[in-house]
Amino acid sequence: MQKILRGVVRGCLKPVFALPLPLGFQRAWVRMFTALVFPPRGTQIEPLQMGPVPAERVHNRDATGAGAILYLHGGAYVLGSPKTHRALTSHLAKAARASVYVIDYRLAPEHPHPAALEDALTAYRWLLDQGMAPRNISLSGDSAGGGLALATALAIRDAGLPAPGALALISPWTDLTLSGESNRRNAVIDPMLHHTWAATSATQYCGTLPHDHPACSPLFADLRNLPRMLIQVGSDEIVLSDSERLAEKARAAGVDVRLHRFDGLWHVFQLHAGMMKASNQAIDEIAEFLNG
């Protein structure tokens, strides 16, 4: 199954990101591609407003936990939505026995930085306003959403808000300058991402800010006083270096960090939860970490 899914990703996604196709087509293609995967039995999805931010609450009818996970979807800040990530978030909700709040944050280029960060911070404040204990709230996200989750944790710290209990970052895109060595080393073997598409998306998101600004590329931020952190990444990703350097910098800043590199796997392979053993194991590891 791993070989089959790798071939499907390479054949159906990488060409869409490698060719100069209109963003509207890319968004529609990703919506269609991800609609082919279904949530586990017992999944319940509830649309809601987290203040002005549209979102959905994903949970399982058999869940008994009281925790909340604020999840930020990937898509290079230019595509994706709660719907495109339901396979991942629904399996996470079931494994963690928690409610997963997935916001439909504003996308670039229509809404460049700081729109997405403002929406994520607003959603976190909303959870606090519901009376949830900060220690029972976790931040998570994949790819650009992983970078956004880290940037949100930094914004929470800098705003003097109570910190969330933990961070779980899946293949986080933390360096929008694409300066990591893996961008070159893994350019051919990465079955999903293409350097040019990532660079274009970075420009669309950053707007007037330089790509190395810490609010856009949190790898370059002061990482002190962050919650404990789990980072998962595949060995075949062009953004592998983002995770490795983040783990190194966070440890140097005194953060409790766990980095899990999955050999032979690709960008956000957790999206295949329910179909691939390694994806299920990764989701279970996240759930165990957040509930620890």
Side-chain angles (χ1 to χ4, degrees):
M1 180 57 69
Q2 183 170 316
K3 291 181 179 179
I4 292 171
L5 288 173
R6 186 185 186 97
V8 169
V9 169
R10 179 175 288 278
C12 295
L13 287 181
K14 191 159 188 174
V16 174
F17 297 145
L19 297 174
L21 298 172
L23 181 56
F25 175 84
Q26 293 177 348
R27 288 172 173 172
W29 183 264
V30 169
R31 285 196 301 268
M32 181 183 71
F33 183 79
T34 54
L36 301 176
V37 183
F38 298 98
R41 182 176 299 177
T43 297
Q44 297 178 333
I45 299 172
E46 172 192 354
L48 77 159
Q49 289 287 134
M50 302 179 76
V53 181
E56 61 183 32
R57 174 177 173 253
V58 183
H59 60 109
N60 194 278
R61 66 189 178 200
D62 299 324
T64 58
I69 302 170
L70 177 58
Y71 193 90
L72 306 173
H73 68 79
Y77 295 108
V78 300
L79 54 79
S81 72
K83 290 183 179 180
T84 62
H85 283 63
R86 279 180 178 170
L88 193 162
T89 57
S90 59
H91 280 88
L92 178 58
K94 181 177 181 180
R97 304 183 306 279
S99 293
V100 180
Y101 294 82
V102 194
I103 67 170
D104 197 6
Y105 61 83
R106 290 169 290 172
L107 299 176
E110 297 91 340
H111 304 283
H113 177 84
L117 182 57
E118 290 174 345
D119 289 350
L121 192 57
T122 295
Y124 183 75
R125 291 180 185 271
W126 185 89
L127 289 172
L128 293 177
D129 290 343
Q130 306 311 300
M132 295 186 186
R135 66 179 180 277
N136 292 333
I137 304 173
S138 303
L139 296 183
S140 186
D142 65 279
S143 192
L148 182 58
L150 178 58
T152 302
L154 292 165
I156 290 168
R157 179 199 66 187
D158 295 344
L161 294 172
L167 288 172
L169 310 179
I170 300 172
S171 301
W173 190 23
T174 61
D175 175 11
L176 273 60
T177 72
L178 300 172
S179 63
E181 194 271 335
S182 60
N183 280 279
R184 295 172 292 277
R185 184 182 69 243
N186 290 347
V188 175
I189 64 172
D190 189 320
M192 179 186 293
L193 297 181
H194 192 275
H195 180 93
T196 301
W197 180 74
T200 299
S201 300
T203 298
Q204 292 174 325
Y205 175 65
C206 291
T208 59
L209 291 179
H211 290 193
D212 62 353
H213 193 286
C216 298
S217 295
L219 177 66
F220 305 117
D222 178 356
L223 301 178
R224 288 176 293 181
N225 301 318
L226 287 178
R228 60 193 182 93
M229 185 187 307
L230 171 66
I231 307 169
Q232 293 183 342
V233 66
S235 66
D236 295 357
E237 306 188 35
I238 62 172
V239 294
L240 169 62
S241 296
D242 290 40
S243 291
E244 294 175 332
R245 290 179 293 164
L246 172 61
E248 182 180 356
K249 285 195 63 176
R251 287 194 189 102
V255 180
D256 179 7
V257 183
R258 183 190 306 175
L259 172 66
H260 189 166
R261 169 176 155 158
F262 290 80
D263 290 339
L265 291 175
W266 54 90
H267 190 62
V268 198
F269 66 89
Q270 294 83 349
L271 285 167
H272 306 295
M275 302 175 64
M276 192 168 74
K277 182 178 179 181
S279 304
N280 297 337
Q281 291 173 337
I283 294 294
D284 288 342
E285 180 185 45
I286 294 172
E288 181 180 357
F289 176 81
L290 296 182
N291 289 329

